[in-house]
Amino acid sequence: MIDVPGTLSSGQVFLWRHVGVFWYVIDGQNILKVDDTGVIDATRTITDFFRCGDDIDRMHESFAQDPLLTELIHRYEGLRITNQNLFQCVISFIVSANSNIPRIRRNLQDICHRFGDKTAYDDIAFCLFPTPAVLAGTDTHHIRECGVGYRAQHIQGASAAIRDGLCDGIDRMSYKEAQGTLCEMPGVGRKVADCILLFSCGHLEAVPLDRWIIRVMHEHYGIGDGTTPHTTRQYDILHDDVRDRLGPYAGYAQQYLFKMARNNSEKPLKW
DNA sequence: CTTGGACCTGTCACC
DNA sequence: GCCTACAGGTCCAAG
């Protein structure tokens, strides 16, 4: 039903551990306990992290006219879009900018170890993700010690914005409205905003256009020229074309294509 | 509105 | 071993 390891290692989620037959996912101040059927317990609230309500059959139907996606939904059966804690998602993708996945994981783990509360669950030690107030009140010099470089200022600024209520009620905003709100934060441009809109706000029409997807859209669909857009205007134009081509489940389509692109790359994945 | 660069840090092909 | 390019982009100053 749900491909838990496949989903957790698909580049949407960075803070999780595989212990025995379970996976433990750090999701803000919450820790989710997961088995191969989905979330089975949590330290605070059991959330619908794997979006079990999504109509997968209907998504398959919407991909019926697309040979590549039709093949990919079978090859990667059970790959899901996640529904993550907003603040952690914001910081995760600010950290992801101009970086790479192994390093993103290290940076986020360091942030938890330095600034998050320590706790235990099933006799296993964990560090939670820090709150907006804690990171907002931390000097950028100390945030920088987590190896995030110039992103430290963005992390601090975005934390302060969220602490002050910028994103309150974002779940009730339209895609464009929420995008505008998110992009007010330092370090959040169109691509990072799309990650947050898709992985935390439930906007399935959001398609994060990273280097991988831009390459795939050019090579397999003839959309765009394969180079990363440099302006928000160029990004928006490309995003509209991609969304129109992939349909109402464009966010899911993006995740399948991203997985394919990474699996096809020569270098072994470092998870 | 478009173009050109800089930017922390780590890893990894090529010299 | 040493040097360069590049990594799930964003921001800022000029043209």
Side-chain angles (χ1 to χ4, degrees), chain A residues 87 130-138 156 159-160 162-164:
Chain A
F87 178 60
T131 61
V134 166
L135 280 187
T138 301
Q156 204 265 340
S159 298
I162 290 182
R163 176 200 58 191
D164 296 340

Side-chain angles (χ1 to χ4, degrees), chain A residues 84-104:
Chain A
Q84 308 177 31
N85 170 267
L86 179 76
F87 178 60
Q88 183 177 324
C89 190
V90 168
I91 302 303
S92 295
F93 288 98
I94 285 176
V95 166
S96 78
N98 201 20
S99 188
N100 55 75
I101 293 180
R103 184 183 163 199
I104 296 164

